[in-house]
Amino acid sequence: MIQSNDLYSELKGYRNRRNKIQLDQARWDEQMPELVNAYMDFCNRRRSGQLFQAEVRERHVVSVWTTTGKCFNPRQGHLTQIPVFVTDTYTNASYIRSGYLPFNPLLNQTLVSLDTLELYHNLFMRCPRLGIQPFIRALCDLQGIRSKNNLSVQYSSAYDLYIRLVEAVRSKVLDALNRTTPHWRMLNNCPCCQYEVVGEPELPIRMLIAIDGNNSLKRFQRRESPLGDGQELGVEKERPDDRVGGGDYFLQEEQVNLWDESQWFKWPGWTPKEKSPKVPCEDRWSNMNEAKTKRSFGHFDVNGVFAGFCRHSFTIVFLDMVRSGEHSKYMLAFLYHFMTACLGYDIACGMVDKIARSPLSETAGNERLQMLIGLLHGYAHNCLCQLSFLLLYINGAGIEDLKVCERYFSHSNALAPVTRYMSKFRRRQAISNYVYHRDNLETYHNLSRFLYSNYKQVLTIIGRSKDTARVLKAVGLLDPNNAIRWLDEERKYLESRQKIPEEDALKSTYYLSLVKLAECQDGLARARRTFRLELGLAGVSEVGQDGDGLFLTERQMANAQEMEAKLLLDVQSFEERLELRRDQRWVNGSEEWKQAAELVSTAKYRKALDRLEGLIVARIFELSKMNLAGTGYKMRQHIGDAMKKRSKAILSALDNYNEAAAALKPPRKLLGWDDVLNYTYLSEFDFLRDTQTDILQKPWAKPAVREAMSELFKLMRAGEELDRLHVEIKRLVTNMKEEEEYIRRLVRKVRRHNEALSFQIWLHGNERRRFNGIHRRRLRDIQRLKGFSQSDAHYFQPGVGIRRQTVDGEEDGADLGLNGGDDSDSDESDGDDEDVDDRAEAVLAIANDTVE
């Protein structure tokens, strides 16, 4: 056995604080294979209660409880006899086999119990705000002693070793399960989205993914004091650490940087393409403009994370936003590694052109990639953008809102206070462990609750189908297919209105110049008359004695003459561009003058409308922030004061809007205070922006028809959601049955030659298996819901998975009987492939039966 003292003597004098981490890691790497086996042996012996004989050594142990239930002293530990096995190469392996972890790979006079580390690990996963330091201080408080900083440092080293042991054991388990292929977790994490079943119907959208950035999980970079006047950051003083944390949950920085637009030329076969015109929503979303998000923030090395989740909240991958904001390269890197879905993104409209110009354009077309906008942010985009990307209008989207990221980040933000000052490795380590725990314990636990909630919501919407049919008939929408055609008509019209014609803009500017010129000439004529009158009254002999008033009038007249000359030059310039002769100059009352005046009134009206819309949007966001959990008292007071001022501004903007609306011919609709507060969906403002009377007569521009169309599309999406839920439920029950049997068979096989590894495989399977009983109970509750059709009961029976899991090269179905029984369980029910037209005809049939 290699003694720790020998190792300590070997390295003593060659280690300093700068290279301590690297030297410790090199020594741990030598010991790790034996330490992992010792850890698995300890877990197996603890389960079975087996005893063993070995020589003992006395060591101080830090633990929560003694064998008698009393607390240990966390500073000095409890003097305990530790068994040491002569067969172990390293003393540390004997410590771990006995249930204790060392603080470092060399000399260890004090150990920490594995029970204490496991306790902290589980507490941290459930409450990420609990860092190592408060946990150690709590142990000190139990003993009534003063804590020291070195205790946290030592415990942190032991916790790093514990996490490394857990991850190494997990790697062995995955290898035994044959799940070590690249990106296996990414492609198989969610049973409802990714575990396909033989004979299932094909969905219009294979998988719904939500992606977004979050700036809470920053990382503070350690630097020297600021240089010079304090405007520049000092040099980096991070300790060297070659470890890369995060596992397969993180894409590395090098993989992300390849998708920066400046690096696209490195991809073979890519040819530059011309950039499309400005995106209409670019002014509404600052993260569409990378110039606004490119800078780093102070001492932060990482400004947040960019992540993707399936609609059930299972994690796909994380990307660190290094010294930048939410750039397009993060989404492109995500797509390169996972492009098999429809993606919901807050600024999806701005990324379509970026994807089309990137090296991913061909792959995106082959994979039928479709960009979507979640419902929460979707209504903040303009109407044209909603028609193209809003989930309500997308065939196959169901009732999903794709706001998974916001819900997920609301929980993961608790990590921020702990990870902000960690090293790169420990930050990623903490995040990846939290994500693993959340995926396998929290998200999987809530999976059937998600299915139950959506199924219940769908049945409620379908239960209102008769009321929807009455509304459709009341507004004259007798053929629901007209709603789809009206959307296309509305989209084409809005596309045609994207840009103001250059000729109209020129005419408006020419008209305004003529108006200014006429006003200037009127003022000049008045100044001349006044000057003559005052000059005649004063007399020539008296001008020198009392000429202050005459001098002021003369100066005003000179200024007016100078302004007249400038405006004449502008008018003549516009006349040349409009190809007008001097005798064709527009005059007040002419037809051209009236048309130009109408264009200017329309522009003034739209400007007033934009001002009103902006204030309403700000008010909506302030209301949501004021009621958000975690908003402090001072922040609430600040928001409250701002809202009082905002209300006065809205009233003023409302008066300006009504004044501009009344000046139009014919006058536009006047708005009251209640009207603007009810415009939650910002698409209503887009219709107020159109001033053509013929458009107002279109069916799709009438508020009642638009409301009816929304109800119709909700009913269509509910039918699609029901189809998707049936597929996901079938996948879940099949996955539960096949996974349980696969784990049992593999445990029996591995137990013959490695009992410790078989126990770890059983523990790995039990992480999710413990919730399967809850899933089966909730799925039975779905079948008891009001409105549930018994013809859909076969979706709640297990089928046969396409990715069959085998042991010893045998098909699971041969022993499990998955191929036997009633074959109707895996058949599709009549009407599963019902398309939009069929569902629209069904709605029309209900209308005819119930309203006539």
Side-chain angles (χ1 to χ4, degrees):
M1 177 180 293
I2 299 178
Q3 300 296 326
S4 298
N5 290 335
D6 298 334
L7 298 175
Y8 180 76
S9 300
E10 178 184 348
L11 294 180
K12 187 176 181 180
Y14 298 94
R15 186 174 67 180
N16 54 50
R17 292 180 61 84
R18 293 294 297 173
N19 63 2
K20 177 181 182 302
I21 294 177
Q22 294 174 314
L23 293 177
D24 283 351
Q25 281 305 119
R27 191 58 62 186
W28 281 129
D29 290 340
E30 296 178 8
Q31 305 180 28
M32 191 53 59
E34 187 170 342
L35 300 185
V36 172
N37 292 331
Y39 175 71
M40 291 195 300
D41 182 62
F42 162 75
C43 295
N44 187 48
R45 289 178 182 273
R46 179 174 58 178
R47 171 189 64 90
S48 59
Q50 298 179 17
L51 301 178
F52 46 85
Q53 296 294 330
E55 62 177 279
V56 296
R57 293 181 182 178
E58 289 189 345
R59 292 289 185 270
H60 292 282
V61 173
V62 176
S63 182
V64 178
W65 294 285
T66 65
T67 55
T68 59
K70 296 181 180 180
C71 291
F72 285 101
N73 189 321
R75 184 175 63 179
Q76 298 178 347
H78 179 80
L79 197 59
T80 305
Q81 293 183 342
I82 307 297
V84 178
F85 296 81
V86 294
T87 56
D88 287 332
T89 307
Y90 298 98
T91 308
N92 289 332
S94 293
Y95 294 154
I96 294 175
R97 201 182 302 275
S98 302
Y100 303 97
L101 249 65
F103 290 131
N104 58 71
L106 303 178
L107 183 63
N108 286 288
Q109 294 297 327
T110 304
L111 308 174
V112 58
S113 69
L114 273 166
D115 292 338
T116 302
L117 289 165
E118 290 173 349
L119 173 63
Y120 169 73
H121 180 69
N122 285 277
L123 288 174
F124 179 71
M125 293 301 102
R126 292 294 182 177
C127 182
R129 290 186 175 88
L130 179 63
I132 288 178
Q133 191 175 60
F135 179 76
I136 291 298
R137 288 180 176 179
L139 293 181
C140 294
D141 292 341
L142 289 175
Q143 294 296 324
I145 61 175
R146 180 177 61 87
S147 63
K148 293 184 178 180
N149 292 334
N150 68 302
L151 297 177
S152 300
V153 175
Q154 292 175 350
Y155 189 86
S156 178
S157 300
Y159 184 69
D160 285 349
L161 176 60
Y162 170 75
I163 294 299
R164 188 171 180 181
L165 290 174
V166 170
E167 291 177 347
V169 171
R170 189 180 300 155
S171 178
K172 282 180 170 287
V173 171
L174 293 177
D175 185 59
L177 293 169
N178 195 24
R179 296 175 179 176
T180 55
T181 55
H183 306 303
W184 189 94
R185 181 202 56 79
M186 185 187 299
L187 300 175
N188 298 272
N189 203 15
C190 178
C192 290
C193 290
Q194 298 167 309
Y195 198 86
E196 299 178 356
V197 177
V198 175
E200 67 182 14
E202 183 179 358
L203 296 173
I205 297 178
R206 288 174 293 171
M207 188 174 177
L208 289 164
I209 301 295
I211 56 176
D212 201 2
N214 174 262
N215 59 4
S216 294
L217 294 176
K218 297 184 180 72
R219 194 192 83 85
F220 191 89
Q221 188 178 29
R222 293 178 177 86
R223 290 180 176 271
E224 300 289 350
S225 301
L227 303 176
D229 56 359
Q231 298 300 319
E232 297 182 2
L233 298 178
V235 296
E236 181 181 350
K237 63 174 184 178
E238 298 275 353
R239 284 190 185 181
D241 190 352
D242 298 331
R243 295 175 294 176
V244 180
D248 62 348
Y249 281 99
F250 275 88
L251 292 183
Q252 302 307 317
E253 185 177 353
E254 297 78 12
Q255 296 174 294
V256 175
N257 290 337
L258 286 174
W259 290 100
D260 189 85
E261 190 166 357
S262 61
Q263 304 296 318
W264 288 357
F265 70 93
K266 296 182 179 179
W267 291 94
W270 176 76
T271 55
K273 299 178 183 178
E274 186 178 355
K275 186 176 181 180
S276 299
K278 182 179 178 181
V279 180
C281 296
E282 187 171 338
D283 295 333
R284 299 191 181 199
W285 300 96
S286 59
N287 51 348
M288 283 189 185
N289 188 351
E290 294 191 358
K292 298 180 180 179
T293 59
K294 67 180 180 181
R295 68 185 182 92
S296 181
F297 298 92
H299 286 267
F300 290 109
D301 177 39
V302 178
N303 291 330
V305 294
F306 190 89
F309 310 91
C310 77
R311 80 182 196 125
H312 305 96
S313 297
F314 284 98
T315 306
I316 296 176
V317 73
F318 274 73
L319 301 85
D320 276 331
M321 295 191 294
V322 181
R323 300 184 186 91
S324 72
E326 198 171 319
H327 281 186
S328 58
K329 67 179 180 180
Y330 300 111
M331 196 201 73
L332 294 177
F334 176 88
L335 288 177
Y336 178 71
H337 289 83
F338 192 89
M339 187 186 294
T340 177
C342 287
L343 296 180
Y345 191 28
D346 299 343
I347 55 172
C349 56
M351 298 308 302
V352 172
D353 175 63
K354 182 78 73 172
I355 296 173
R357 294 187 295 108
S358 74
L360 283 175
S361 58
E362 184 177 353
T363 307
N366 296 335
E367 294 291 337
R368 296 182 298 170
L369 176 69
Q370 185 174 3
M371 298 300 296
L372 307 173
I373 300 178
L375 291 182
L376 177 62
H377 290 85
Y379 288 112
H381 288 252
N382 62 42
C383 191
L384 176 60
C385 195
Q386 294 179 27
L387 295 176
S388 302
F389 302 102
L390 191 63
L391 286 166
L392 182 64
Y393 304 123
I394 303 299
N395 182 32
I399 63 173
E400 179 58 45
D401 59 3
L402 280 187
K403 303 321 295 178
V404 183
C405 297
E406 284 74 9
R407 291 189 286 267
Y408 195 97
F409 292 147
S410 67
H411 296 280
S412 65
N413 285 344
L415 275 169
V418 179
T419 60
R420 184 156 296 177
Y421 295 94
M422 286 183 174
S423 66
K424 295 180 180 179
F425 166 75
R426 284 180 174 164
R427 172 183 169 274
R428 281 195 171 188
Q429 180 191 73
I431 294 175
S432 61
N433 276 277
Y434 171 82
V435 174
Y436 179 88
H437 178 275
R438 185 161 186 83
D439 280 351
N440 292 279
L441 277 76
E442 293 285 346
T443 305
Y444 187 77
H445 178 210
N446 295 324
L447 185 55
S448 56
R449 180 179 297 170
F450 174 92
L451 299 175
Y452 177 87
S453 176
N454 278 31
Y455 210 106
K456 184 177 181 180
Q457 187 176 353
V458 164
L459 293 181
T460 301
I461 296 175
I462 295 178
R464 299 198 304 263
S465 59
K466 293 185 177 180
D467 296 333
T468 302
R470 292 190 182 94
V471 173
L472 294 175
K473 194 155 189 175
V475 298
L477 190 55
L478 300 179
D479 184 2
N481 287 307
N482 284 338
I484 300 176
R485 290 193 291 269
W486 289 346
L487 284 183
D488 293 335
E489 183 180 347
E490 180 183 349
R491 184 183 297 109
K492 292 177 181 178
Y493 168 75
L494 293 175
E495 288 174 351
S496 67
R497 303 290 295 174
Q498 278 293 295
K499 186 177 180 180
I500 299 177
E502 184 178 356
E503 185 178 0
D504 290 349
L506 189 58
K507 289 180 179 179
S508 299
T509 310
Y510 176 56
Y511 165 80
L512 292 175
S513 297
L514 288 176
V515 171
K516 290 181 180 179
L517 178 60
E519 293 176 352
C520 180
Q521 290 175 341
D522 291 343
L524 178 60
R526 288 194 301 270
R528 285 173 176 171
R529 289 195 299 268
T530 303
F531 179 77
R532 295 194 196 97
L533 179 61
E534 292 179 352
L535 185 63
L537 293 176
V540 179
S541 60
E542 299 179 6
V543 171
Q545 300 177 2
D546 189 16
D548 293 341
L550 291 176
F551 178 76
L552 178 61
T553 304
E554 185 178 11
R555 186 174 58 185
Q556 292 175 347
M557 185 173 59
N559 291 339
Q561 289 175 343
E562 184 179 354
M563 181 61 66
E564 180 188 27
K566 292 181 180 179
L567 291 174
L568 279 172
L569 291 176
D570 293 341
V571 168
Q572 292 171 1
S573 175
F574 287 123
E575 288 174 347
E576 290 179 2
R577 297 173 63 182
L578 291 171
E579 299 180 354
L580 296 176
R581 299 193 306 269
R582 181 65 60 87
D583 57 349
Q584 293 179 327
R585 179 173 294 176
W586 298 351
V587 295
N588 193 356
S590 65
E591 188 65 27
E592 295 85 354
W593 185 280
K594 294 179 181 178
Q595 293 177 358
E598 184 177 351
L599 290 175
V600 172
S601 298
T602 301
K604 181 179 179 181
Y605 164 80
R606 287 175 176 165
K607 184 177 180 180
L609 179 61
D610 290 339
R611 169 65 176 165
L612 179 61
E613 179 184 4
L615 292 172
I616 294 299
V617 173
R619 185 181 187 275
I620 292 173
F621 289 162
E622 286 167 349
L623 282 173
S624 61
K625 176 64 178 176
M626 193 170 187
N627 297 318
L628 188 66
T631 305
Y633 172 76
K634 290 186 178 180
M635 178 60 70
R636 293 179 189 272
Q637 292 294 319
H638 176 73
I639 294 175
D641 294 339
M643 287 186 62
K644 292 178 182 178
K645 298 178 181 178
R646 186 84 65 192
S647 298
K648 296 179 181 178
I650 292 176
L651 287 174
S652 177
L654 184 60
D655 294 337
N656 293 335
Y657 164 82
N658 288 331
E659 181 181 352
L664 294 178
K665 295 180 181 180
R668 288 289 288 167
K669 175 184 177 182
L670 302 182
L671 298 180
W673 176 257
D674 294 336
D675 296 327
V676 296
L677 295 187
N678 291 331
Y679 282 170
T680 306
Y681 297 153
L682 303 183
S683 58
E684 302 292 341
F685 287 99
D686 291 289
F687 281 99
L688 292 174
R689 192 168 284 105
D690 295 315
T691 58
Q692 298 184 12
T693 56
D694 56 335
I695 296 301
L696 298 178
Q697 303 304 319
K698 295 289 186 180
W700 44 266
K702 298 179 180 178
V705 177
R706 292 187 62 80
E707 188 68 26
M709 289 173 59
S710 296
E711 292 299 320
L712 173 62
F713 282 113
K714 289 178 183 179
L715 183 58
M716 291 181 177
R717 300 291 87 84
E720 296 165 358
E721 179 72 14
L722 190 61
D723 296 340
R724 181 175 292 275
L725 288 172
H726 286 155
V727 171
E728 292 179 348
I729 289 171
K730 189 83 169 181
R731 290 176 177 179
L732 177 60
V733 294
T734 303
N735 174 264
M736 287 192 297
K737 183 172 183 179
E738 293 188 352
E739 182 74 3
E740 289 174 357
E741 183 59 26
Y742 177 57
I743 294 294
R744 283 197 297 267
R745 295 182 66 185
L746 188 61
V747 167
R748 288 196 298 266
K749 174 190 173 183
V750 176
R751 186 182 297 151
R752 301 168 191 164
H753 57 83
N754 193 335
E755 185 177 356
L757 179 58
S758 69
F759 177 61
Q760 293 298 328
I761 295 174
W762 182 88
L763 288 176
H764 179 82
N766 191 56
E767 287 179 347
R768 292 194 175 189
R769 184 177 59 247
R770 72 184 79 174
F771 304 114
N772 288 349
I774 297 176
H775 292 336
R776 294 185 174 99
R777 187 191 68 209
R778 287 173 179 164
L779 293 179
R780 289 194 297 269
D781 292 341
I782 291 178
Q783 300 180 64
R784 300 189 186 101
L785 289 173
K786 181 180 179 181
F788 177 80
S789 176
Q790 292 301 321
S791 62
D792 297 328
H794 66 279
Y795 290 109
F796 294 76
Q797 300 299 323
V800 179
I802 292 179
R803 288 187 287 272
R804 307 290 295 281
Q805 306 177 100
T806 61
V807 177
D808 291 333
E810 299 178 0
E811 292 290 334
D812 289 345
D815 294 339
L816 302 179
L818 296 178
N819 295 326
D822 188 1
D823 292 337
S824 62
D825 287 348
S826 61
D827 292 339
E828 300 177 29
S829 62
D830 295 335
D832 284 340
D833 294 329
E834 185 179 44
D835 57 13
V836 176
D837 293 339
D838 295 336
R839 189 168 291 118
E841 292 177 2
V843 174
L844 181 59
I846 295 174
N848 293 332
D849 293 339
T850 60
V851 182
E852 288 182 351

